[in-house]
Amino acid sequence: MPGVSAHGLSCEERRQLAVDLTRVLALYRSILDAYIIEFFTDSLWGTLPHSWQEALDGLKPPQLATLLLGMPREGEEIRYRSVWPLTLLALKSTACALAFTRTPGFHTPSEFLENPSQSSRLTAPFRKHVKPKKQHEIRRLGELVKKLSDLTGCTQVVDVGSGQGHLSRFMSLGLGLMVKSLEGNQRLVDRAQRLDQELLQALDKMEKRHPKMVQRGPQHRPHHVVQWVSPTTLCDELLLPLEIPGQSSARLLLTGLHACGDLSVALLRHFCCCPEVVALASVGCCYMKLSEAGSYPLSQWIAGLPGHELPYRLREGACHALEDYAERLQNQGPGLHTHCFRAALETVIRQVCPKLRRPGVQGIPRAHELRIEEYVQQGLERVGLDPQLPLDLAALQAHQAQENRVVAFFSLALLLAPLVETLILLDRMLYLQEQGFYAELLPIFSPKLSPRNLVLVATKTPLGQAFSTLETEDS
């Protein structure tokens, strides 16, 4: 999808974008606030303007992807079957125009052209135990961190929330960086250390077999530490430099690959408060896990705007994968009717137990192969209700007949969701700017592989034209 490039916006342009975003989100708050499982109980279709209902009613999933989400198949011509109301067209145009662009400098990652499961840009030892999505992410972010480290004169990288250490291993053993890895889960740290040893053995074997092909520089295995990082207090371990002979002081670069919820905010605070931290490269995720107070808004500018509030439902919606859903629409995936089935189940739950609202329903296996009444029976059992309750089959079938309406409403909400993510990330950029630092945002991953694909890059001195070297295409 087209959008606004975050790179190069002036302070005033960023502020104006925040104003526009809060106004638009307030205007369409009823769509964003809605839970799709309450489509029937809250008569969500009826909340849309009548002209919108006429335009969207009866559209098949591929038409929704092409006409509403603006994501046609390659070579497909966009043709409207009727004249859409200007208000709906304005919503579509505004959603595209105000969201940060998520399109990187490449269409399809060239590393997977030969084999969709193996990155051609990583040697076999670095691919082992790593899924294609993660291969793409650790390579792209690792290479950006290396360039940023060189530009800012960093001596050490701190990978916060490092998990099994895939990114840390690539940065240290693949790119020659000094890396400390912080992870709060002891089990994951133990696993990371085992994988470190396994990778070292594999690299030794490769070097012995192909001494001319394998040219290894200085080898620094990552230093793993079991450490939980608080979003509100500074972490001494994070700032404690590794002991390096001949090095008197450390210049740290903080990074986090999909730092979850408040963890991405913790990275920002450490960057701002600690003089030894000179650079940041953070990819956030799980916005719904942000604390209600203290993690958004961070900037004084957005905190002062009317309508800036982003409750849980809006932040949860911002975590959906728009490109992936558009592909499901184009392919008319069998799982699309799950939204309709779950909404129908909610009507039955409310009839039986009115006080039970939106209960969590554990995944129902092969739900797309079930009849709607079978799905409802299994759903009732999962929420602790009698699955043998008599069901109104005519009512359930009437709900099922509105499946395309359910999908259309959900698509409307997804169209707006990138605006929420844009406002959250813009808030972080403005916060850093208010602290006197320099921040940019750029799409780094393929959005089809990695939906949360925007990396926030911050430095304490301006990079100027050097920043463009971080935006290299995937060759």
Side-chain angles (χ1 to χ4, degrees), residues 9-12 14-15 272 426-439:
L9 291 179
S10 68
C11 180
E12 286 307 312
R14 290 175 179 178
R15 288 179 174 180
C272 291
L426 183 62
D427 172 59
R428 296 174 182 182
M429 296 175 72
L430 286 169
Y431 168 72
L432 290 167
Q433 200 161 333
E434 289 170 358
Q435 306 303 309
F437 304 127
Y438 304 86

Side-chain angles (χ1 to χ4, degrees), residues 160-223:
V160 184
S162 55
Q164 297 183 54
H166 297 309
L167 174 63
S168 294
R169 265 186 300 284
F170 177 64
M171 291 191 298
S172 59
L173 298 175
L175 299 176
L177 294 168
M178 295 292 298
V179 180
K180 177 190 281 190
S181 306
L182 269 60
E183 169 56 50
N185 187 317
Q186 178 71 64
R187 181 181 58 83
L188 292 178
V189 171
D190 292 342
R191 167 79 170 160
Q193 291 172 333
R194 289 196 298 271
L195 292 177
D196 287 353
Q197 189 60 37
E198 186 177 318
L199 176 60
L200 284 168
Q201 293 173 352
L203 291 174
D204 286 340
K205 289 181 181 179
M206 180 180 290
E207 187 173 21
K208 291 177 181 178
R209 291 174 182 172
H210 310 285
K212 294 183 179 180
M213 294 178 58
V214 181
Q215 297 181 352
R216 295 168 63 182
Q219 217 177 69
H220 309 289
R221 63 189 300 168
H223 178 70

Side-chain angles (χ1 to χ4, degrees), residues 259-275:
C260 185
D262 289 337
L263 186 55
S264 56
V265 177
L267 292 179
L268 292 179
R269 292 206 168 103
H270 281 80
F271 171 81
C272 291
C273 298
C274 307

Side-chain angles (χ1 to χ4, degrees), residues 72-84:
R73 292 184 182 275
E74 188 172 354
E76 180 184 2
E77 184 178 350
I78 298 179
R79 292 182 178 180
Y80 291 89
R81 66 173 191 174
S82 62
V83 178
W84 278 24

